[in-house]
Amino acid sequence: MTEVLVGIDAGTSGVKVTAFTPDGTLLHKEQRPASVSHPALDRAELDLNLYWESICDALRSTCTRFPGIVGVGIAATTPTTILFDKNLNPLGNGILYMDNRASGALQEVENIYGGRGAYFHRMGNRLSVSTCAAVNIKWVQQNEPERWNRTSHTGYLNSFITGRLTGQAAVDFTTASYSGLYPLADCSTDWDSGLLEHFGLDKGKMLPLIAAGEMVGRVKAEAAACTGLPEGTPVAAGSADTAAAAFALGQKESGDTFESAGTSGVVTFVLDRPRFNTAFMNRRHIIDGRWLAHGAMSMSGGSLFWAISNVWPELKSVENLEKEAAKSPPGSNGILFLPYLAGERSPVWNPDACGNWFGLTRNSRREDMIRAIFEASAYAMRQLMDEAERSWKWRPSALVGVGGGVKSRLWNSIKADTLNVEYTPSNNSDAAALGAALMGGTAAELFRGTADPSIPQMSKGLPPVTPNTGNIEIYSKMYQIYSSLYPRLESSMRTLAGLRRRQE
């Protein structure tokens, strides 16, 4: 019987369940949609019970085909803050990374540390709702005391999934890196007691910290009946999805760089020392002695889905958007788009940032506006590349792309031309899922830990896209204008956000 590893890729737009052989060959994939709710302008939540139903449905379809499942791992969107009762059932919805309800609590945290610079020096991350999930807990403490009084443990999305599968839950180091309760450079194996005290958190409400590839438990009978997984199957703690992708790609040396092109666009740089930069979201790698610096853009791919849903529903798909965009020349006939539809993380770090088309005239066409959305993420990526070069004195000459977004040939060529790098899209959009499955393999002891050299790496697959030298100049000129827009609009964006909040 063929041994099979299952990877659960738990994202914001959907859940993916994949089956791989231990050598990394994809056997099967099931996908189910997920729905993010926005009960208020600054809220973004995940209905966890519905999400679990989607996971079970996808697992059942997979497990009926493959009886030889020996390990399970998880890659999850992070941070998704979840409060649990004593039975590891969620108390309400999960609070997603794009949720800004707790942004007001950031000032209180800043005061505790004596400034944002001091916080960064201590934690290795800047102070934001995306890198300090503890402010969500503080918000619940202050605004929903009844919910907090019922809380037995706090955790995250992979904690929730392992809890349902095994009855045991933990937090891995890649996820803890965005908790606000774990200093990155220390490489500690436990939560920081002083930080817990700052947030009024009892150690007893914290799930244990373990390595991403460590077994958190085995599939219990109830979960086996629901999912079809064999009872007793080892389940790894899992990790953040982008860290899982880095693991699958074999990205482990300083200077290794790749992009995850999905709802969020994330450019990841591997560091061999904790030399952190405030422009990036920083975390421990799955591999010991390595760190990851993520330039995370909240809505680079999400802007395309927004355009379909809210602006041109008649186009129905990203593929149709791409066909329209291809009618417009590089530079979109002078139109730029700021993709800050959910505030923004890297590179501007402002929950009040908002989207904008700039440069519209009476001659502007739909295809120009659409192409500008594709180009916006490439300009934002160039900002991150420039910052990386300033910080670490090296600039990648090549970039690997993974995720659903690399299916767009137009988008790949825009990135190659704008960044002036060789862009290699993977023909496998399941990097995070493979990373999750390989962590399941370490939990099942098929591999000797996550640094085992026998762990397979995902093939790049598709031929690289080389820059078109004829487009570099126009993209460079448009990039300079793009980079100047946010600083000039920042004050107006904050004022407008304040008006919106008062109108709610």
Side-chain angles (χ1 to χ4, degrees):
M1 182 184 300
T2 302
E3 291 180 322
V4 175
L5 299 173
V6 168
I8 301 172
D9 183 0
T12 52
S13 58
V15 60
K16 185 188 303 180
V17 170
T18 51
F20 289 91
T21 60
D23 68 0
T25 301
L26 177 65
L27 299 173
H28 186 72
K29 176 168 61 177
E30 293 281 341
Q31 292 179 275
R32 300 292 184 274
S35 179
V36 176
S37 63
H38 299 276
L41 184 64
D42 61 350
R43 308 289 176 88
E45 300 180 353
L46 198 63
D47 186 318
L48 296 165
N49 291 319
L50 289 178
Y51 202 82
W52 174 245
E53 290 177 11
S54 296
I55 292 173
C56 288
D57 187 54
L59 281 170
R60 283 194 299 270
S61 295
T62 301
C63 294
T64 56
R65 293 173 169 83
F66 303 101
I69 295 170
V70 297
V72 180
I74 299 152
T77 186
T78 301
T80 303
T81 309
I82 300 173
L83 307 182
F84 297 94
D85 68 13
K86 62 182 180 180
N87 297 316
L88 292 179
N89 293 314
L91 296 169
N93 293 338
I95 303 174
L96 287 166
Y97 66 88
M98 63 184 77
D99 189 291
N100 286 311
R101 76 184 70 185
S103 58
L106 296 175
Q107 184 62 54
E108 184 178 345
V109 178
E110 181 180 348
N111 293 339
I112 290 172
Y113 284 88
R116 298 200 172 210
Y119 179 88
F120 177 83
H121 181 75
R122 173 77 177 108
M123 301 303 302
N125 266 315
R126 64 185 300 140
L127 181 58
S128 77
V129 292
S130 296
T131 54
C132 185
V135 297
N136 292 325
I137 300 173
K138 180 175 284 292
W139 186 93
V140 173
Q141 290 172 333
Q142 295 172 345
N143 295 275
E144 298 180 354
E146 182 180 353
R147 182 181 177 190
W148 178 248
N149 289 337
R150 296 168 56 205
T151 298
S152 178
H153 293 92
T154 65
Y156 303 91
L157 188 53
N158 54 337
S159 315
F160 166 72
I161 297 170
T162 60
R164 284 290 171 95
L165 288 174
T166 71
Q168 304 294 322
V171 179
D172 76 288
F173 299 120
T174 73
T175 303
S177 298
Y178 291 171
S179 66
L181 302 169
Y182 181 81
L184 303 189
D186 294 353
C187 290
S188 173
T189 58
D190 203 356
W191 300 103
D192 188 290
S193 58
L195 298 173
L196 294 178
E197 184 178 350
H198 283 329
F199 284 95
L201 289 172
D202 186 286
K203 179 72 176 296
K205 288 196 174 185
M206 305 302 296
L207 294 170
L209 280 173
I210 66 174
E214 187 175 339
M215 185 180 75
V216 71
R218 296 178 180 273
V219 174
K220 59 182 181 179
E222 180 184 354
C226 176
T227 64
L229 287 167
E231 185 177 354
T233 303
V235 178
S239 74
D241 47 10
T242 312
F247 181 50
L249 288 165
Q251 297 249 324
K252 57 186 178 181
E253 301 301 332
S254 181
D256 287 348
T257 308
F258 75 100
E259 183 210 10
S260 300
T263 301
S264 294
V266 183
V267 183
T268 297
F269 305 86
V270 179
L271 307 177
D272 59 2
R273 287 179 287 167
R275 298 176 295 171
F276 304 132
N277 182 305
T278 57
F280 301 99
M281 300 173 67
N282 305 299
R283 63 158 42 107
R284 282 185 62 179
H285 199 341
I286 290 170
I287 300 169
D288 282 343
R290 296 292 185 269
W291 289 262
L292 301 174
H294 302 305
M297 301 160 287
S298 295
M299 289 288 284
S300 58
S303 295
L304 298 172
F305 297 120
W306 165 82
I308 296 168
S309 299
N310 294 359
V311 188
W312 299 290
E314 69 276 10
L315 292 179
K316 298 181 179 179
S317 69
V318 173
E319 290 76 17
N320 288 334
L321 284 181
E322 182 178 1
K323 291 176 182 177
E324 282 293 300
K327 299 175 185 177
S328 179
S332 303
N333 280 316
I335 295 177
L336 290 158
F337 179 74
L338 296 181
Y340 308 148
L341 300 178
E344 184 55 296
R345 296 181 289 175
S346 305
V348 305
W349 292 101
N350 182 0
D352 292 335
C354 59
N356 181 33
W357 270 291
F358 178 79
L360 295 174
T361 71
R362 64 182 181 180
N363 295 321
S364 298
R365 299 170 298 172
R366 180 174 73 174
E367 53 260 38
D368 301 326
M369 297 175 70
I370 294 172
R371 187 183 183 102
I373 300 176
F374 283 95
E375 292 177 346
S377 62
Y379 296 138
M381 287 172 65
R382 182 165 171 177
Q383 289 180 312
L384 297 171
M385 291 285 197
D386 288 351
E387 188 60 39
E389 185 174 19
R390 284 190 290 269
S391 183
W392 304 310
K393 311 306 178 187
W394 45 257
R395 187 183 188 94
S397 59
L399 188 65
V400 178
V402 299
V406 302
K407 296 176 183 177
S408 171
R409 296 179 64 182
L410 174 68
W411 211 3
N412 295 341
S413 65
I414 288 171
K415 292 169 185 175
D417 294 350
T418 303
L419 302 173
N420 195 17
V421 300
E422 183 178 271
Y423 188 90
T424 303
S426 171
N427 63 349
N428 187 336
S429 61
D430 306 312
L434 173 58
L438 294 175
M439 285 183 272
T442 65
E445 298 184 346
L446 297 186
F447 308 116
R448 299 186 306 276
T450 53
D452 189 335
S454 71
I455 292 176
Q457 297 178 11
M458 191 174 77
S459 171
K460 308 300 188 299
L462 297 176
V465 179
T466 57
N468 182 335
T469 56
N471 295 336
I472 291 174
E473 183 178 1
I474 182 61
Y475 280 131
S476 292
K477 290 180 178 178
M478 293 295 288
Y479 168 70
Q480 296 302 323
I481 301 170
Y482 176 93
S483 298
S484 73
L485 289 178
Y486 172 76
R488 296 179 181 182
L489 295 172
E490 179 184 8
S491 177
S492 297
M493 288 180 179
R494 291 191 186 277
T495 301
L496 186 59
L499 288 174
R500 286 179 175 147
R501 283 191 286 269
R502 286 195 292 271
Q503 289 171 358
E504 287 190 324

